Structures are given as C-alpha cells and as structure tokens.
Amino acid sequence: IPIIGDGDTGYGNAMNVKRTVEGYARAGFAGILIEDQVAPKACGHTRNRRVVSRSEALSRIKGAVDARDEGAGILIAARTDARAADSLEEALWRVQAFADMGVDLLFIDALQSVDEMQQFCDMAPGVPKMANMLEGGGATPLMTPDELGDMGYKVIAYPLSLLGVSTRAMQNALQNLKTGQIPSEPELPSFAELKNIVGFDEYYEEETRYDPAQFEQRPPKQPQSPADVAAAAAAEAAEAAVAAASQAASQAASQAAAAAA
C-alpha cells in the first residue's frame, strides 16, 4: 500500500527540506507532505495558526520538488494552512504557486464550506487535490468519499477514525473494568485472533528455522590442529602420486603391447 508521510515543515530551510524529502524516499515512502506553517506547527484545525511568508513557503516547496527531480523519485504533496491563518484568497494564491512549481498534489487544510472546497478543486485542474475530513467537529464540512470524488478530490484523509474509535473503546473498557466488567466479544477478540492479527503464526513458522534441536544432530566440525592439517595434505599427495604412477604404468604397458604386435 503506498504511504504518504507527513514531512511537516521540512524541519528547517530549503536545504533541510531537500534532506527530509530524500530521507523519506530512502525509507520507502511513496509521497511526502510539506507545509507552510511556522515551526513548531500544529493541527490546522486548532487556534492561532500561523504561516511563513510567501517567499519562504515557495522556497520550501522548491527544495522539495528539486529533491524529487534530482533522484528521490517521491510524490510531493504541498499543503498550505493560509486559510486558517490568513484568508481563502491567500490560500488559493499559494496553492496555485505550488502548482506552478510542479508539485504532484495540493492540499488546503481547514477549508470552511462546501463552496470553498469546490473553489479549491476548480483551480489548477491538472494537479490532484487532497481533502482532510476531520471527524468529530473540524472546520471543514464532513463528506463521504463519493461526494468528495464527485467534487473532484483524488485523495481523502479521515485522520481520526482509527484514533478516535480506539480512544473511545479504551475509555469504555477502563470504565467497565473499574466496575468489575471484563470486556467480551465482540468488543474483545479471542487471544487466538489477537495472536493472528499481530503475526504470531508467521513468527512461529520462522522460529522453527532456528530450533536448537536440529543443530544437536549435526555437531559442527571440530577445528584441526596444524599437525592434522599437514598429515591430511601428505595423505592426499600420496594418493595422487599412487594414482599418477598407476596411470603411467598402464600407459607404458599399452605402448609395449602395441610395439610387440
């Protein structure tokens, strides 16, 4: 499954961004997200968002695109938080500039209406767009994958589905344990199912390759002393000499027989 990693701000200037992109590519990521927030950054749906200047944002994206083109071979997703930090107009200006620099994917976080989402999708038609559906009450209207696909989005993130559901499940389990209730199916998988999920079967299969019992049946060859090595070499030389003499005698007999005839 292709993975897009979150490279945040790139962790410094354009040179640091290049290094970050190259590192993600070496790690096997299919893509990396680089954004224009001021470091340290935070979730785009939280308060007091700030972005760097246009020139610094473009410098970061230029470094990312250059890293891709100079051999990293990784998809560059460019994100702006200018909608929350400034205005929709500023956010649209920035993503258009990112598109002109040759990025592979565009993302404006924290868009605030369906109309804003559509305006974003309608610009830079040759570059795919990403939507972030922050479940549970983010700034952006929550929509289904089909609805977003019809609007024109190509990549969709539902970032809290797994985290939120698992958090609520842990809260419920802890509350139940507090009152003496032990989780049961379907809330809790069996131990056998859990082992299968985390890969115990594959681990057990590989473990058999290193079972000590199989090595007890095949003790390692004991190292030979220098004298033993010399004796073995002399024996091999003697055997070779006997074989050579036997072959020479056979050839001589054959020649004598041919001469007598």
Side-chain angles (χ1 to χ4, degrees):
I1 299 176
I3 301 296
I4 299 177
D6 191 351
D8 293 328
T9 62
Y11 313 115
N13 62 17
M15 296 298 293
N16 298 114
V17 172
K18 288 187 72 173
R19 185 176 184 276
T20 298
V21 171
E22 292 164 354
Y24 275 58
R26 287 194 299 271
F29 285 88
I32 181 172
L33 195 67
I34 298 293
E35 64 185 74
D36 60 359
Q37 278 199 56
V38 172
K41 55 85 45 123
C43 172
H45 294 253
T46 57
R47 65 183 183 180
N48 300 329
R49 293 303 90 234
R50 294 183 299 143
V51 293
V52 297
S53 67
R54 288 181 174 183
S55 59
E56 185 172 350
L58 294 177
S59 177
R60 287 179 184 176
I61 299 304
K62 174 63 173 173
V65 170
D66 284 352
R68 177 199 65 193
D69 295 343
E70 292 168 8
I74 188 173
L75 178 150
I76 303 299
R79 161 182 167 173
T80 181
D81 286 77
R83 175 62 187 95
D86 192 302
S87 65
L88 175 64
E89 291 70 24
E90 179 64 18
L92 293 174
W93 187 95
R94 291 188 180 218
V95 291
Q96 181 62 63
F98 297 162
D100 294 341
M101 299 186 84
V103 301
D104 304 294
L105 182 69
L106 293 170
F107 171 38
I108 300 177
D109 202 12
L111 290 170
Q112 298 180 12
S113 69
V114 173
D115 180 66
E116 290 187 3
M117 296 170 70
Q118 189 64 66
Q119 288 187 60
F120 172 42
C121 270
D122 290 342
M123 65 170 302
V127 185
K129 313 300 190 303
M130 173 180 170
N132 181 28
M133 298 285 98
L134 191 69
E135 310 91 314
T140 305
L142 194 62
M143 302 174 69
T144 67
D146 287 342
E147 291 171 334
L148 291 166
D150 292 340
M151 187 177 289
Y153 286 94
K154 301 300 183 183
V155 178
I156 309 165
Y158 290 91
L160 296 184
S161 289
L162 295 180
L163 178 61
V165 169
S166 58
T167 299
R168 180 54 56 83
M170 286 187 281
Q171 288 177 327
N172 292 338
L174 289 170
Q175 187 62 40
N176 290 338
L177 286 172
K178 186 177 179 180
T179 60
Q181 301 177 61
I182 301 173
S184 59
E185 292 190 48
E187 290 83 9
L188 183 71
S190 68
F191 186 50
E193 289 175 318
L194 186 61
K195 288 192 296 181
N196 182 57
I197 290 170
V198 300
F200 267 68
D201 291 340
E202 292 80 3
Y203 176 83
Y204 289 149
E205 183 177 350
E206 183 175 7
E207 187 181 37
T208 61
R209 297 168 54 192
Y210 309 105
D211 184 355
Q214 63 180 311
F215 300 107
E216 292 175 359
Q217 300 171 6
R218 295 183 301 172
K221 184 182 293 185
Q222 297 296 323
Q224 294 179 310
S225 66
D228 292 337
V229 172
E236 290 179 1
E239 290 179 2
V242 170
S246 176
Q247 183 177 9
S250 178
Q251 290 177 346
S254 297
Q255 292 172 356

